Amino acid sequence: MLLLIAVLFCMFTYKFFTKWVWIILPFALVIDGLIWIRAHQLLFWVILSAALITYDLIYRHQHNGKDPFYDNLKDKIQPAHTATTKTNSDRPVTTVSDRTSRPTIESVDGHSKTPDKPSRDEITSSIATPKPAKELFHFKVAGTTHYDMKRFVDYARKNDLFEKYDGMTAKEIKEDSPYDEVYETDLLDVDYTIALQPDPNNEYDSDAIKVNAIIDGQEFQLGFVPKEHTSNIKKILQDGNFKIEGSLTGGKYKIAEDDDDDFSDNPKLKIKTGINNYGFNIVIYNK
């Protein structure tokens, strides 16, 4: 401390801002700091620890309680080619390493053995993935505004078979889906069956095919297969090896758009509502 005072005294009394003073001053500060630390070691470590803890708390608060540096370091040192599998206590557990050694099968009774080398066919079948279902045909149901589409949707709504607007509040729509139409009705998770029923007694077209939805044992006619597609659908129905998936479109919706009354450079979002006619899409796959 006395050394620092001496240097400062010289700086302000002898030659103000001379070159040699500025050269000596950093060294004097370092020496003085080391002398102070040696004389106040306990206080120094307390101050340093408090500073590090405060910095850590501020840093984690700015990153939502996470430490990106630690997470990145953990990802780098984590060993590759590791996998965790769920086990069933009633069945043997097979653990396969990345090395060329054979797998060891451990039975429930605790005894283990090394199986015989699997054949090429066994290896191929064990890693084969199931083929995705092949799409046979798709179409948009005709006449949805004339039959039971609204009754079908109303039934699902009255029985609380789905969450309106996917359970999203106006605030969540603004934050998560701005400028996107969020529909009130989503039947994706509703359990219902689509049936294609020939209607030979139809007064307008003896080849007509009804599209019906069956939910909780109740049947609702959604419309008809478009006339230009009836011949293709009849062939699929005759074959019988198919499955049907349907998806609802339209209805009431909410959308978060720029407020028309806000003329600032960054206008606030405002929830607006609208409605589109219901529609229904059908996709037919092979089983």
Side-chain angles (χ1 to χ4, degrees):
M1 184 62 70
L2 293 176
L3 180 61
L4 177 60
I5 294 174
V7 172
L8 293 176
F9 177 77
C10 292
M11 185 178 69
F12 286 101
T13 58
Y14 182 60
K15 289 185 179 180
F16 193 69
F17 289 114
T18 55
K19 183 177 181 181
W20 67 270
V21 172
W22 290 112
I23 294 176
I24 295 176
L25 182 60
F27 294 98
L29 292 174
V30 171
I31 294 172
D32 186 71
L34 293 175
I35 294 172
W36 184 91
I37 291 173
R38 183 177 180 182
H40 305 84
Q41 291 188 26
L42 178 61
L43 181 60
F44 169 76
W45 290 114
V46 170
I47 295 174
L48 180 62
S49 300
L52 291 175
I53 293 173
T54 303
Y55 172 79
D56 183 70
L57 292 175
I58 296 174
Y59 188 74
R60 288 178 179 274
H61 177 72
Q62 293 176 347
H63 293 83
N64 297 324
K66 298 180 180 180
D67 189 342
F69 175 78
Y70 173 76
D71 294 340
N72 293 335
L73 181 63
K74 182 175 66 174
D75 292 339
K76 289 181 181 179
I77 65 175
Q78 185 175 5
H81 305 294
T82 59
T84 303
T85 58
K86 295 183 178 179
T87 60
N88 188 333
S89 59
D90 296 332
R91 301 180 63 184
V93 179
T94 304
T95 304
V96 183
S97 67
D98 288 337
R99 299 184 178 86
T100 56
S101 59
R102 297 181 187 177
T104 300
I105 298 181
E106 183 176 352
S107 300
V108 189
D109 57 4
H111 300 287
S112 60
K113 64 177 182 177
T114 302
D116 297 333
K117 185 177 180 179
S119 65
R120 189 179 188 87
D121 293 338
E122 290 174 342
I123 296 175
T124 303
S125 62
S126 65
I127 64 175
T129 56
K131 294 182 179 179
K134 180 181 178 182
E135 181 181 320
L136 300 177
F137 210 82
H138 68 272
F139 61 89
K140 185 176 182 179
V141 178
T144 52
T145 57
H146 303 295
Y147 298 97
D148 301 331
M149 176 66 75
K150 189 175 184 304
R151 289 181 53 241
F152 172 57
V153 174
D154 288 344
Y155 179 88
R157 182 189 295 110
K158 291 178 181 178
N159 288 275
D160 297 325
L161 300 182
F162 63 89
E163 285 189 289
K164 294 182 180 180
Y165 302 105
D166 291 331
M168 299 174 68
T169 63
K171 181 180 179 182
E172 291 172 336
I173 292 175
K174 290 179 182 179
E175 294 177 350
D176 301 335
S177 302
Y179 309 105
D180 290 336
E181 294 176 350
V182 180
Y183 282 89
E184 176 192 38
T185 307
D186 184 1
L187 303 182
L188 184 62
D189 297 325
V190 178
D191 186 15
Y192 64 93
T193 303
I194 296 297
L196 302 179
Q197 178 183 353
D199 186 18
N201 298 323
N202 189 291
E203 58 180 322
Y204 300 105
D205 183 4
S206 59
D207 293 326
I209 301 175
K210 293 180 180 179
V211 179
N212 297 332
I214 304 170
I215 182 171
D216 292 343
Q218 299 195 44
E219 191 170 23
F220 302 90
Q221 182 180 349
L222 306 182
F224 285 91
V225 175
K227 186 175 183 178
E228 62 269 22
H229 299 321
T230 53
S231 59
N232 294 315
I233 300 303
K234 277 191 173 183
K235 294 179 182 178
I236 295 175
L237 293 178
Q238 290 172 357
D239 180 58
N241 187 29
F242 64 91
K243 62 179 181 179
I244 304 174
E245 292 183 0
S247 59
L248 177 73
T249 61
K252 296 179 181 179
Y253 66 86
K254 292 181 180 179
I255 185 171
E257 292 183 326
D258 295 338
D259 189 349
D260 296 334
D261 298 327
D262 188 347
F263 299 101
S264 63
D265 294 335
N266 187 21
K268 296 180 179 179
L269 293 177
K270 182 178 181 180
I271 295 293
K272 302 177 182 179
T273 60
I275 186 169
N276 292 324
N277 290 332
Y278 286 119
F280 207 87
N281 297 322
I282 295 291
V283 182
I284 305 176
Y285 299 94
N286 65 345
K287 286 186 177 179

